Amino acid sequence: MGSKAAILDFIGIELAKVHSSKRPFVDLFAGACAISGGFGHIGKIISNDIQEYSAVIASTYLKRAEKIGNFDIVELANEIAHKNLATLPVGLTYPVAATLAAFNKVEKRNRALLHREFDNSHHLFTRVYSGTWWSAEQCVWIDAIRETLDALLGSGKIEHADFNFGLTCLMHAMAYTSQGTGHYAQYRDAKTEAGMADISKYRQASVPAIFKRKFESLLKWHLENVIDLDHKMIAMDYRECLASIEPSVVYADPPYAFVHYSRFYHAMETIVKYDYPEIQHMRGAVVKGRYRSDRHQSPFCIRTQVNGAFVNLFKGVKESGSDLLLSYSNTGMIDIEMLMRLASSTFGKEYEVWFDHMDHTHMTMGRRADHSRQVKESLIIARKRQASE
Ligand SMILES: C[S@@+](CC[C@H](N)C(=O)[O-])C[C@H]1O[C@@H](n2cnc3c(N)ncnc32)[C@H](O)[C@@H]1O
């Protein structure tokens, strides 16, 4: 959600106005890590996000995975998956053709695994998510691949960069087998024949096949492109991250909506943490989205806290002696005049603060013309004045 991959040229042009190669480039709210993907070969990147899965994706762009190519992860996971599938109750398999009522009975049996006891080490997805975004069989595979990666890391056969690479491929396989609509806020219920037909397509999709395809193509790209320029991945609150950095150029793309990112991406956080989280309850029942109860609530998404959140951002940048590029999206959380006022008053005379938006010149740089982006994409820039200015 809100990936900046499509406007990297614009960010690159603006970045050149403040960046010198000696300073790190901090992606403070990295999300899916478009910045690491776009600029990781140019200079040192510090990629930060409160969500841990973001650091895993950043690692795949920034740290070399030299060993994982020696292993056939699917082959190794196959034995675990088959052993675990054999222990599940009968009646969980989705028929290719079924009546709506029969299909929903299978859905219900899959979801009921939430109340089952498991004695194998890796059953988190099978227990919590069967019959939601994925089928029990898909969840068994997700757990088995995670178990395989854990075993390889635990025995020292692969390094952390390899492990993160494998997890990134697993997040990809999860996304492409999920019956949801591009995120994990709500899974769909089969209410009509047409809805059932569409959900059914995803229920039949193969986690190992999609994992393997991504693994092979991504590893080729990865080994040809990734250079480690002493990059860092951090999973901290933005204020803590700012307090920990040397003078840098900070790129900030905070959330600009009331909806909390953590609600949309909790399943990615859970595959990365694999910590058997407590699941949120409401009125005595597990909530439909089966969210983690420790989900992060961002101050940028809370109307009464948003101004203070930006002031803390500006203060943190200033105290670290850094420059700032702040992506601005006009979604009604805060208007640009207010944001400019807060920026100017917090940065004060030591900084030059201005506003740039993507204009026609930027649109002609080989990007497909998308008119709406022209008005939407803008940046607030705060540059520390030099002693001579
Ligand atoms: C608009 S998205 C960033 C998208 C990213 N630029 C990309 O291209 O994929 C905002 C991100 O801010 C993160 N976030 C929210 N509150 C945060 C906080 N207090 N500290 C650090 N990160 C936070 C969210 O997890 C989310 O990934």
Side-chain angles (χ1 to χ4, degrees):
M1 230 166 53
S3 166
K4 293 293 185 227
I7 64 147
L8 287 175
D9 294 346
F10 172 54
I11 294 173
I13 289 167
E14 300 299 305
L15 178 63
K17 297 180 184 170
V18 291
H19 195 236
S20 82
S21 59
K22 288 191 201 89
R23 293 189 296 171
F25 188 28
V26 179
D27 189 8
L28 194 58
F29 302 89
C33 307
I35 296 295
S36 291
F39 302 107
H41 58 293
I42 292 173
K44 175 172 175 167
I45 304 263
I46 299 176
S47 183
N48 176 68
D49 197 287
I50 193 106
Q51 303 275 305
E52 277 182 35
Y53 70 77
S54 175
V56 170
I57 299 173
S59 167
T60 297
Y61 282 126
L62 303 174
K63 297 281 170 187
R64 288 185 64 81
E66 304 277 5
K67 294 185 176 167
I68 199 159
N70 299 332
F71 300 92
D72 185 336
I73 307 293
V74 166
E75 182 64 33
L76 294 169
N78 191 37
E79 200 178 317
I80 303 171
H82 279 96
K83 194 174 83 220
N84 290 340
L85 280 169
T87 66
L88 293 183
V90 290
L92 298 175
T93 309
Y94 288 82
V96 180
T99 62
L100 195 51
F103 185 85
N104 276 320
K105 267 193 193 145
V106 180
E107 291 274 74
K108 208 169 158 191
R109 283 198 290 268
N110 273 259
R111 283 173 205 162
L113 292 183
L114 183 63
H115 307 292
R116 195 168 191 269
E117 291 295 321
F118 289 83
D119 52 19
N120 57 321
S121 67
H122 287 64
H123 60 261
L124 198 173
F125 270 62
T126 311
R127 190 164 79 77
V128 178
Y129 296 118
S130 288
T132 65
W133 290 275
W134 303 278
S135 69
E137 182 177 343
Q138 290 167 333
C139 286
V140 165
W141 267 101
I142 293 169
D143 285 326
I145 292 175
R146 169 76 210 212
E147 185 172 340
T148 303
L149 294 171
D150 279 342
L152 289 173
L153 183 68
S155 61
K157 290 181 178 150
I158 60 171
E159 307 294 329
H160 275 282
D162 300 287
F163 181 73
N164 288 338
F165 180 93
L167 276 185
T168 302
C169 296
L170 185 53
M171 284 190 262
H172 172 91
M174 282 164 53
Y176 282 82
T177 50
S178 158
Q179 57 96 300
T181 49
H183 56 68
Y184 306 118
Q186 287 293 348
Y187 60 83
R188 292 183 290 161
D189 290 313
K191 290 184 179 145
T192 61
E193 298 277 337
M196 172 182 75
D198 197 54
I199 293 171
S200 184
K201 264 196 323 228
Y202 291 96
R203 296 288 191 227
Q204 302 298 332
S206 163
V207 169
I210 294 174
F211 176 89
K212 199 177 172 78
R213 206 179 313 136
K214 188 67 184 176
F215 187 94
E216 284 165 5
S217 64
L218 187 60
L219 191 59
K220 185 171 181 304
W221 177 90
H222 176 92
L223 293 174
E224 282 167 8
N225 289 283
V226 173
I227 340 171
D228 186 354
L229 300 172
D230 194 26
H231 305 300
K232 259 199 192 143
M233 293 88 61
I234 305 181
M236 283 183 187
D237 179 78
Y238 72 106
R239 289 160 293 193
E240 272 178 84
C241 174
L242 287 172
S244 75
I245 58 170
E246 60 193 283
S248 308
V249 174
V250 175
Y251 173 68
D253 181 25
Y256 278 98
F258 286 119
V259 289
H260 290 280
Y261 271 75
S262 53
R263 181 159 169 266
F264 286 77
Y265 299 123
H266 62 101
M268 286 160 72
E269 195 64 356
T270 297
I271 193 63
V272 165
K273 289 189 161 143
Y274 213 79
D275 55 353
Y276 294 87
E278 193 186 303
I279 303 298
Q280 200 181 329
H281 281 63
M282 212 187 273
R283 289 184 218 96
V286 167
V287 295
K288 183 179 173 207
R290 301 192 175 182
Y291 309 124
R292 311 171 57 86
S293 45
D294 67 353
R295 220 155 49 74
H296 174 252
Q297 310 275 323
S298 185
F300 290 96
C301 306
I302 301 169
R303 174 93 62 201
T304 53
Q305 296 181 18
V306 63
N307 287 10
F310 278 106
V311 169
N312 285 331
L313 167 63
F314 301 144
K315 273 191 189 151
V317 170
K318 188 177 176 185
E319 276 159 21
S320 71
S322 303
D323 291 343
L324 173 69
L325 297 180
L326 169 63
S327 264
Y328 176 71
S329 289
N330 187 12
T331 56
M333 282 300 288
I334 183 162
D335 64 45
I336 186 68
E337 288 76 24
M338 169 60 90
L339 204 49
M340 286 298 283
R341 264 205 307 280
L342 293 175
S344 301
S345 63
T346 314
F347 281 111
K349 291 209 175 65
E350 285 167 56
Y351 277 74
E352 186 186 355
V353 179
W354 74 94
F355 177 77
D356 271 353
H357 60 89
M358 197 158 93
D359 61 20
H360 189 69
T361 332
H362 299 126
M363 298 300 297
T364 57
M365 294 187 55
R367 198 180 306 106
R368 254 204 341 255
D370 169 358
H371 199 73
S372 65
R373 283 205 176 277
Q374 257 187 73
V375 284
K376 265 198 197 148
E377 295 299 342
S378 41
L379 285 170
I380 292 175
I381 301 167
R383 189 174 69 93
K384 194 171 176 173
R385 293 183 201 278
Q386 306 302 305
S388 54
E389 287 179 55

PDB file of all heavy atoms in Angstrom, residues 52-65:
ATOM      1  N   GLU A  52       8.591  -5.465  11.468  1.00  0.00           N
ATOM      2  CA  GLU A  52       9.831  -6.230  11.223  1.00  0.00           C
ATOM      3  C   GLU A  52       9.918  -6.808   9.823  1.00  0.00           C
ATOM      4  O   GLU A  52      10.998  -7.025   9.299  1.00  0.00           O
ATOM      5  CB  GLU A  52       9.945  -7.369  12.239  1.00  0.00           C
ATOM      6  CG  GLU A  52      10.540  -6.900  13.547  1.00  0.00           C
ATOM      7  CD  GLU A  52      10.715  -8.027  14.547  1.00  0.00           C
ATOM      8  OE1 GLU A  52      11.018  -9.164  14.133  1.00  0.00           O
ATOM      9  OE2 GLU A  52      10.511  -7.762  15.742  1.00  0.00           O
ATOM     10  N   TYR A  53       8.771  -7.078   9.202  1.00  0.00           N
ATOM     11  CA  TYR A  53       8.845  -7.699   7.872  1.00  0.00           C
ATOM     12  C   TYR A  53       9.547  -6.783   6.882  1.00  0.00           C
ATOM     13  O   TYR A  53      10.165  -7.231   5.914  1.00  0.00           O
ATOM     14  CB  TYR A  53       7.453  -8.115   7.360  1.00  0.00           C
ATOM     15  CG  TYR A  53       6.544  -6.970   6.990  1.00  0.00           C
ATOM     16  CD1 TYR A  53       6.707  -6.285   5.798  1.00  0.00           C
ATOM     17  CD2 TYR A  53       5.514  -6.581   7.832  1.00  0.00           C
ATOM     18  CE1 TYR A  53       5.871  -5.227   5.462  1.00  0.00           C
ATOM     19  CE2 TYR A  53       4.680  -5.536   7.504  1.00  0.00           C
ATOM     20  CZ  TYR A  53       4.859  -4.865   6.323  1.00  0.00           C
ATOM     21  OH  TYR A  53       4.044  -3.821   6.000  1.00  0.00           O
ATOM     22  N   SER A  54       9.469  -5.471   7.137  1.00  0.00           N
ATOM     23  CA  SER A  54      10.103  -4.518   6.224  1.00  0.00           C
ATOM     24  C   SER A  54      11.628  -4.712   6.218  1.00  0.00           C
ATOM     25  O   SER A  54      12.267  -4.669   5.154  1.00  0.00           O
ATOM     26  CB  SER A  54       9.734  -3.095   6.653  1.00  0.00           C
ATOM     27  OG  SER A  54      10.424  -2.159   5.870  1.00  0.00           O
ATOM     28  N   ALA A  55      12.211  -4.972   7.390  1.00  0.00           N
ATOM     29  CA  ALA A  55      13.669  -5.191   7.475  1.00  0.00           C
ATOM     30  C   ALA A  55      14.075  -6.453   6.718  1.00  0.00           C
ATOM     31  O   ALA A  55      15.174  -6.538   6.160  1.00  0.00           O
ATOM     32  CB  ALA A  55      14.097  -5.291   8.942  1.00  0.00           C
ATOM     33  N   VAL A  56      13.172  -7.428   6.681  1.00  0.00           N
ATOM     34  CA  VAL A  56      13.457  -8.670   5.950  1.00  0.00           C
ATOM     35  C   VAL A  56      13.492  -8.393   4.442  1.00  0.00           C
ATOM     36  O   VAL A  56      14.397  -8.834   3.723  1.00  0.00           O
ATOM     37  CB  VAL A  56      12.396  -9.741   6.307  1.00  0.00           C
ATOM     38  CG1 VAL A  56      12.498 -10.947   5.392  1.00  0.00           C
ATOM     39  CG2 VAL A  56      12.552 -10.155   7.766  1.00  0.00           C
ATOM     40  N   ILE A  57      12.529  -7.610   3.968  1.00  0.00           N
ATOM     41  CA  ILE A  57      12.505  -7.262   2.534  1.00  0.00           C
ATOM     42  C   ILE A  57      13.730  -6.397   2.214  1.00  0.00           C
ATOM     43  O   ILE A  57      14.402  -6.601   1.196  1.00  0.00           O
ATOM     44  CB  ILE A  57      11.187  -6.529   2.170  1.00  0.00           C
ATOM     45  CG1 ILE A  57       9.989  -7.437   2.447  1.00  0.00           C
ATOM     46  CG2 ILE A  57      11.209  -6.086   0.704  1.00  0.00           C
ATOM     47  CD1 ILE A  57       8.629  -6.758   2.292  1.00  0.00           C
ATOM     48  N   ALA A  58      14.036  -5.443   3.104  1.00  0.00           N
ATOM     49  CA  ALA A  58      15.201  -4.571   2.882  1.00  0.00           C
ATOM     50  C   ALA A  58      16.462  -5.411   2.748  1.00  0.00           C
ATOM     51  O   ALA A  58      17.304  -5.171   1.873  1.00  0.00           O
ATOM     52  CB  ALA A  58      15.336  -3.572   4.030  1.00  0.00           C
ATOM     53  N   SER A  59      16.595  -6.414   3.588  1.00  0.00           N
ATOM     54  CA  SER A  59      17.777  -7.276   3.542  1.00  0.00           C
ATOM     55  C   SER A  59      17.932  -7.913   2.164  1.00  0.00           C
ATOM     56  O   SER A  59      19.049  -8.034   1.641  1.00  0.00           O
ATOM     57  CB  SER A  59      17.653  -8.348   4.634  1.00  0.00           C
ATOM     58  OG  SER A  59      18.592  -9.377   4.451  1.00  0.00           O
ATOM     59  N   THR A  60      16.818  -8.294   1.558  1.00  0.00           N
ATOM     60  CA  THR A  60      16.885  -8.936   0.239  1.00  0.00           C
ATOM     61  C   THR A  60      17.406  -7.961  -0.828  1.00  0.00           C
ATOM     62  O   THR A  60      18.054  -8.360  -1.782  1.00  0.00           O
ATOM     63  CB  THR A  60      15.502  -9.523  -0.109  1.00  0.00           C
ATOM     64  OG1 THR A  60      15.232 -10.529   0.866  1.00  0.00           O
ATOM     65  CG2 THR A  60      15.450 -10.123  -1.489  1.00  0.00           C
ATOM     66  N   TYR A  61      17.166  -6.665  -0.631  1.00  0.00           N
ATOM     67  CA  TYR A  61      17.696  -5.653  -1.547  1.00  0.00           C
ATOM     68  C   TYR A  61      19.131  -5.245  -1.205  1.00  0.00           C
ATOM     69  O   TYR A  61      19.835  -4.727  -2.057  1.00  0.00           O
ATOM     70  CB  TYR A  61      16.851  -4.385  -1.481  1.00  0.00           C
ATOM     71  CG  TYR A  61      15.532  -4.450  -2.231  1.00  0.00           C
ATOM     72  CD1 TYR A  61      14.334  -4.149  -1.576  1.00  0.00           C
ATOM     73  CD2 TYR A  61      15.478  -4.759  -3.585  1.00  0.00           C
ATOM     74  CE1 TYR A  61      13.123  -4.168  -2.246  1.00  0.00           C
ATOM     75  CE2 TYR A  61      14.272  -4.781  -4.259  1.00  0.00           C
ATOM     76  CZ  TYR A  61      13.098  -4.485  -3.591  1.00  0.00           C
ATOM     77  OH  TYR A  61      11.912  -4.500  -4.257  1.00  0.00           O
ATOM     78  N   LEU A  62      19.528  -5.424   0.073  1.00  0.00           N
ATOM     79  CA  LEU A  62      20.765  -4.780   0.531  1.00  0.00           C
ATOM     80  C   LEU A  62      21.892  -5.722   0.966  1.00  0.00           C
ATOM     81  O   LEU A  62      23.047  -5.307   1.011  1.00  0.00           O
ATOM     82  CB  LEU A  62      20.441  -3.846   1.718  1.00  0.00           C
ATOM     83  CG  LEU A  62      19.396  -2.744   1.473  1.00  0.00           C
ATOM     84  CD1 LEU A  62      19.094  -2.004   2.777  1.00  0.00           C
ATOM     85  CD2 LEU A  62      19.867  -1.753   0.412  1.00  0.00           C
ATOM     86  N   LYS A  63      21.544  -6.956   1.342  1.00  0.00           N
ATOM     87  CA  LYS A  63      22.576  -7.863   1.892  1.00  0.00           C
ATOM     88  C   LYS A  63      22.660  -9.118   1.036  1.00  0.00           C
ATOM     89  O   LYS A  63      21.626  -9.735   0.744  1.00  0.00           O
ATOM     90  CB  LYS A  63      22.211  -8.259   3.335  1.00  0.00           C
ATOM     91  CG  LYS A  63      22.184  -7.093   4.302  1.00  0.00           C
ATOM     92  CD  LYS A  63      23.582  -6.712   4.728  1.00  0.00           C
ATOM     93  CE  LYS A  63      23.598  -5.413   5.507  1.00  0.00           C
ATOM     94  NZ  LYS A  63      24.941  -4.918   5.804  1.00  0.00           N
ATOM     95  N   ARG A  64      23.861  -9.547   0.713  1.00  0.00           N
ATOM     96  CA  ARG A  64      24.012 -10.655  -0.226  1.00  0.00           C
ATOM     97  C   ARG A  64      23.720 -12.020   0.413  1.00  0.00           C
ATOM     98  O   ARG A  64      24.247 -12.356   1.461  1.00  0.00           O
ATOM     99  CB  ARG A  64      25.411 -10.645  -0.837  1.00  0.00           C
ATOM    100  CG  ARG A  64      25.557  -9.487  -1.829  1.00  0.00           C
ATOM    101  CD  ARG A  64      26.862  -9.510  -2.529  1.00  0.00           C
ATOM    102  NE  ARG A  64      27.059 -10.665  -3.382  1.00  0.00           N
ATOM    103  CZ  ARG A  64      26.577 -10.791  -4.623  1.00  0.00           C
ATOM    104  NH1 ARG A  64      25.841  -9.821  -5.152  1.00  0.00           N
ATOM    105  NH2 ARG A  64      26.818 -11.879  -5.324  1.00  0.00           N
ATOM    106  N   ALA A  65      22.859 -12.768  -0.261  1.00  0.00           N
ATOM    107  CA  ALA A  65      22.517 -14.133   0.168  1.00  0.00           C
ATOM    108  C   ALA A  65      23.342 -15.087  -0.690  1.00  0.00           C
ATOM    109  O   ALA A  65      22.962 -15.419  -1.801  1.00  0.00           O
ATOM    110  CB  ALA A  65      21.022 -14.370  -0.028  1.00  0.00           C
TER     111      ALA A  65
END
